[in-house]
Amino acid sequence: MAVRTTWTIAHTCGHSVEHDLANRPADKRAGFARWLAGKDCTDCWKAARDGDGAGKEEWLAAKRAEEQQAAAAWTGQFQMPPLDGPAKALDWGERSRHQLVTAAYTALVTEGTWDEADWAELEEKVRAVTRAGWWIDQRDAEAADLPELLDAATDDDRGTENPFR
């Protein structure tokens, strides 16, 4: 006798749904059916997910605004030049630069062996890279790798303004 492929699952939302588990190996079907029984049915899951989207979007917008405000304050405090690139990338690039550079300061100076003179030299290299896309591309980089990443930046990533303030 063959292992059944169709299971009627009583979901936690109260709905009973017939599921075709033929695409699962025969020895995995019973366990998967048990797992499904502990979840809402697909329709209820989608309704809950779609209904929560507005709250998530509001939270994300507030988080981005908070990050942007911190990045703008940091940019002014440390006299960082404005970034170049498409308008929609500028804020993202500014946030990425702020997050990477502050994390690098923590890793290299606060927790590392660098002194303020070493950092001041690196900070000048940070000011030279003004392409927003470069900072966005580095957003997932390790903070301690920033010196090497800045050395690898090309002329296309650096601005044409006088780097001496």
Side-chain angles (χ1 to χ4, degrees):
M1 179 172 182
V3 176
R4 67 181 172 156
T5 59
T6 304
W7 296 69
T8 302
I9 308 293
H11 291 278
T12 56
C13 61
H15 295 115
S16 289
V17 179
E18 208 168 273
H19 290 275
D20 181 8
L21 304 182
N23 61 343
R24 303 226 170 244
D27 62 339
K28 305 280 187 200
R29 292 178 192 152
F32 187 69
R34 192 171 30 260
W35 179 82
L36 281 173
K39 307 290 179 206
D40 286 347
C41 71
T42 303
D43 293 338
C44 291
W45 175 81
K46 284 181 181 178
R49 183 192 67 190
D50 293 343
D52 190 32
K56 217 183 320 181
E57 288 174 11
E58 290 171 7
W59 175 86
L60 187 58
K63 179 84 170 146
R64 288 290 179 257
E66 180 184 319
E67 290 173 350
Q68 192 62 42
Q69 185 178 18
W74 175 85
T75 297
Q77 180 183 358
F78 292 100
Q79 301 171 350
M80 292 291 158
L83 297 178
D84 305 319
K88 65 181 184 178
L90 295 178
D91 287 347
W92 189 11
E94 192 173 338
R95 287 192 312 269
S96 298
R97 175 175 66 178
H98 168 247
Q99 292 166 351
L100 182 58
V101 175
T102 55
Y105 183 85
T106 300
L108 299 171
V109 179
T110 306
E111 298 170 354
T113 59
W114 283 36
D115 60 16
E116 289 297 327
D118 294 331
W119 181 256
E121 188 178 315
L122 184 70
E123 201 171 81
E124 289 307 315
K125 290 181 180 180
V126 167
R127 282 187 185 91
V129 177
T130 59
R131 189 174 68 84
W134 189 89
W135 290 103
I136 293 168
D137 291 344
Q138 310 315 316
R139 70 186 180 275
D140 294 326
E142 293 293 323
D145 293 341
L146 183 59
E148 186 177 345
L149 294 170
L150 287 168
D151 288 341
T154 66
D155 288 340
D156 292 339
D157 301 318
R158 292 181 175 80
T160 57
E161 294 297 315
N162 183 355
F164 303 104
R165 295 175 279 141

